[in-house]
Amino acid sequence: MIRALYTAASGMTAQQMNLDTIANNLANSATTGFRQLRLQFQDMIYQNLVTPGAAQSQSTVSAGLQIGLGTKSAATEVIMTQGGLNQTSNPLDIAIEGAGFFQVQRPDGTIGYTRAGQFHLNNQGTIVTTDGDPVIPNITIPANATAVTITQYGVVNATLLGQQNPSQLGQLQLATFPNAGGLESLGANLLQATLSSGDPVLGNPGGAEGLGTLQQGYLENSNVDVVTQFVQMVLAQRAYESNSKVIKAADDMYSQINNIAR
Amino acid sequence: MDSGYYAAVTGLVARTQALDAAAANLANAQTPGYRAVREYFRSYLMDSGAEPSQIGLAVNRYGVLGGDRLSFTQGPIQHTGNALDLAIEGEGFFAVNTARGLRFTRDGSFHRSPAGLLVTAANEPVLSASKQPISIPPGEVTVGGDGVLSVAGAAAETVGVFKLPVDAQLSAEGANRYRAPENAAVLASKEAVVHAGSIEGANQDVIHGSLELLMIQRQAEMMQKALTIFHTEFNKTASETLPRV
């Protein structure tokens, strides 16, 4: 019965963490390019009081007596579905339709990956993120350029002063991963490659790598499904409650046993 | 008289074990692919003397926790949206190649490993219908109801769904995995349907779990009452009243 107490405690801890994840998803439901997370649970090891299939004197035990020791949170999975597109008409807002990520040069030299295409120009005219980190490959738009267009295949064009025809200023690249769900979230809409995500596969938008295409003047909403998150929240709350009932039941049984000899 | 006392003790011990099992079920109410444990009680014949009388048989049958079985009813299928989250509707398991051998699971939260294999959250390869690891070429993946995995529209492999003979007792190993007895025949499950982009929840619902909890609690209370009666009424009477007679 002491097992029941710890088992229920493991359930409560797991549901607490579940609620933390749901709260974070809901808090980011309006964050551009945010990918919702889902907490994965696993059952813990079992105590074999009677091992199934063990030989008894005359026959084999058809079913054992295995008592589970609770649950644990195993991993958070990043849900990689497409978010809705939101028109902003800002020429440097770019949404990705597909699986790719923009690459961002972080101040510490490492590369971050993001789906949030809220880009701006810095004082040199380079395309940067809201935090000022340059987008890779670096594309500089001269101060005298007008009518910046970004095609769905990532070609950046602008009309320079005194010229009739637009000239090509650069080509945006996207990255994908063998296992995008294994990317590590860094905050500020940035993700980082890990051993589990694998090495990035680079390519131009619209290519054969399945990177997706770009939409200029749009931002991608988060893919948080608020209704589902609320349902998950209710379930987490009820599961927490039922585990606390187990603790109460175990405690009651303890006190009864203590009162056997009156 | 004493045998009744021990019968109640045994019953109480069995209820505490049943409480442990009910606690594990409730703690795992949100674990994907978790199969609830249903315990059963069995009578245990103590003191089978040379000539057991009918009365002796009735009095000396103790109720102990006989064992538990995994319940293989269907769990709810929850939509997640990840293409490689797979849920099985119907009988069957996914087969996983672990370091300790072949294991079975209903938890289909799979993903593509950096090496391009279909793996579980613990990075163990999921097996195809021909019991080989499944390699997924780059591109957009879809999985059909028959488990056929296609990349960019071209069928690549079939995710295996297996079932075991009815008499093969699976034992739970933790981490959502089940172990089959050695040399059990592993057959392809034809009736199972694979739902891509979904996860099967635990087949333990909170209502039944709570009812079970309540029942165990009441039964334990009854055993405790029986023990108190044996202790206070019989033993006490025997020890305190009899010497004065």
Side-chain angles (χ1 to χ4, degrees):
Chain A
M1 196 160 43
I2 195 83
R3 282 188 292 253
L5 282 173
Y6 286 115
T7 303
S10 81
M12 290 173 85
T13 315
Q15 292 311 328
Q16 246 170 30
M17 206 174 277
N18 194 12
L19 194 62
D20 291 347
T21 311
I22 295 165
N24 184 48
N25 283 342
L26 284 173
N28 282 300
S29 61
T31 305
T32 305
F34 177 76
R35 288 287 167 266
Q36 65 171 316
L37 296 168
R38 192 172 63 85
L39 193 61
Q40 291 180 348
F41 299 110
Q42 284 185 343
D43 51 352
M44 281 218 265
I45 55 157
Y46 286 73
Q47 232 175 4
N48 284 331
L49 302 186
V50 179
T51 310
Q56 260 187 349
S57 55
Q58 278 157 3
S59 57
T60 25
V61 181
S62 68
L65 181 51
Q66 286 194 298
I67 292 190
L69 297 181
T71 185
K72 65 172 180 211
S73 27
T76 45
E77 185 188 6
V78 187
I79 305 283
M80 283 294 170
T81 51
Q82 175 79 37
L85 298 189
N86 171 15
Q87 187 169 15
T88 61
S89 302
N90 182 347
L92 287 176
D93 282 346
I94 312 164
I96 305 170
E97 274 186 292
F101 294 88
F102 293 111
Q103 303 165 73
V104 173
Q105 182 75 51
R106 300 180 63 221
D108 62 0
T110 59
I111 296 175
Y113 298 89
T114 185
R115 299 264 313 177
Q118 291 166 304
F119 298 139
H120 310 271
L121 296 180
N122 66 5
N123 53 8
Q124 272 106 46
T126 308
I127 298 181
V128 294
T129 64
T130 311
D131 290 337
D133 301 335
V135 175
I136 305 173
N138 286 358
I139 295 170
T140 305
I141 296 176
N144 55 9
T146 53
V148 178
T149 59
I150 298 162
T151 68
Q152 57 175 331
Y153 302 119
V155 181
V156 183
N157 293 315
T159 311
L160 302 178
L161 190 71
Q163 287 186 354
Q164 286 252 291
N165 295 323
S167 40
Q168 184 175 336
L169 298 176
Q171 163 77 52
L172 283 170
Q173 262 192 343
L174 295 179
T176 51
F177 294 88
N179 172 29
L183 290 169
E184 184 190 347
S185 301
L186 297 172
N189 292 341
L190 287 180
L191 300 159
Q192 195 176 37
T194 63
L195 274 180
S196 130
S197 70
D199 290 330
V201 181
L202 304 181
N204 292 340
E209 298 90 347
L211 295 160
T213 53
L214 303 182
Q215 281 288 342
Q216 189 186 14
Y218 285 86
L219 285 178
E220 187 189 6
N221 293 335
S222 77
N223 68 347
V224 177
D225 180 353
V226 175
V227 178
T228 314
Q229 291 300 310
F230 270 113
V231 172
Q232 292 296 332
M233 192 163 81
V234 172
L235 284 174
Q237 206 176 348
R238 289 297 170 219
Y240 190 82
E241 201 175 313
S242 61
N243 278 297
S244 76
K245 286 258 160 59
V246 172
I247 291 186
K248 177 85 171 49
D251 182 42
D252 283 355
M253 271 168 78
Y254 259 133
S255 90
Q256 280 164 14
I257 290 170
N258 285 338
N259 286 327
I260 282 172
R262 271 193 288 241
Chain B
M1 181 191 75
D2 274 334
S3 75
Y5 189 79
Y6 288 115
V9 170
T10 321
L12 189 55
V13 171
R15 270 22 174 231
T16 62
Q17 287 173 343
L19 181 72
D20 292 340
N25 282 344
L26 279 175
N28 283 298
Q30 295 245 48
T31 304
Y34 177 76
R35 299 294 89 163
V37 169
R38 300 272 172 256
E39 70 283 355
Y40 58 87
F41 298 95
R42 81 175 160 209
S43 61
Y44 215 71
L45 189 62
M46 305 305 281
D47 186 29
S48 55
E51 284 176 27
S53 67
Q54 283 303 312
I55 288 178
L57 275 178
V59 169
N60 291 321
R61 270 192 205 278
Y62 292 1
V64 299
L65 199 59
D68 48 27
R69 281 183 197 282
L70 295 166
S71 159
F72 288 112
T73 53
Q74 178 74 39
I77 290 181
Q78 298 154 358
H79 181 76
T80 63
N82 264 7
L84 288 176
D85 280 345
L86 306 180
I88 301 175
E89 185 189 340
E91 201 184 340
F93 291 90
F94 297 113
V96 178
N97 208 0
T98 70
R100 284 179 293 167
L102 190 65
R103 295 289 183 268
F104 296 93
T105 186
R106 300 268 298 189
D107 172 14
S109 25
F110 301 142
H111 55 267
R112 190 187 341 215
S113 76
L117 292 179
L118 184 69
V119 293
T120 63
N123 230 2
E124 296 148 341
V126 179
L127 300 185
S128 70
S130 51
K131 291 185 199 157
Q132 297 299 315
I134 299 170
S135 65
I136 314 171
E140 198 184 329
V141 183
T142 51
V143 180
D146 49 1
V148 174
L149 189 148
S150 312
V151 177
E157 299 247 21
T158 306
V159 181
V161 180
F162 301 97
K163 65 176 179 185
L164 294 139
V166 189
D167 57 338
Q169 294 299 330
L170 287 171
S171 58
E173 208 184 51
N176 303 343
R177 291 192 301 240
Y178 297 95
R179 190 176 64 231
E182 299 219 354
N183 61 48
V186 179
L187 310 162
S189 174
K190 293 197 171 60
E191 54 269 36
V193 179
V194 175
H195 292 274
S198 310
I199 287 283
E200 188 195 359
N203 64 349
Q204 169 67 50
D205 68 293
V206 175
I207 300 173
H208 280 96
S210 304
L211 277 179
E212 202 177 1
L213 198 65
L214 211 66
M215 210 179 69
I216 294 166
Q217 219 178 338
R218 292 291 167 243
Q219 285 173 342
E221 219 170 285
M222 287 190 294
M223 301 296 162
Q224 184 263 329
K225 284 262 159 62
L227 280 175
T228 313
I229 291 170
F230 275 119
H231 178 75
T232 53
E233 306 301 320
F234 294 179
N235 285 358
K236 210 167 147 195
T237 314
S239 59
E240 289 175 10
T241 322
L242 282 183
R244 292 190 208 128
V245 175

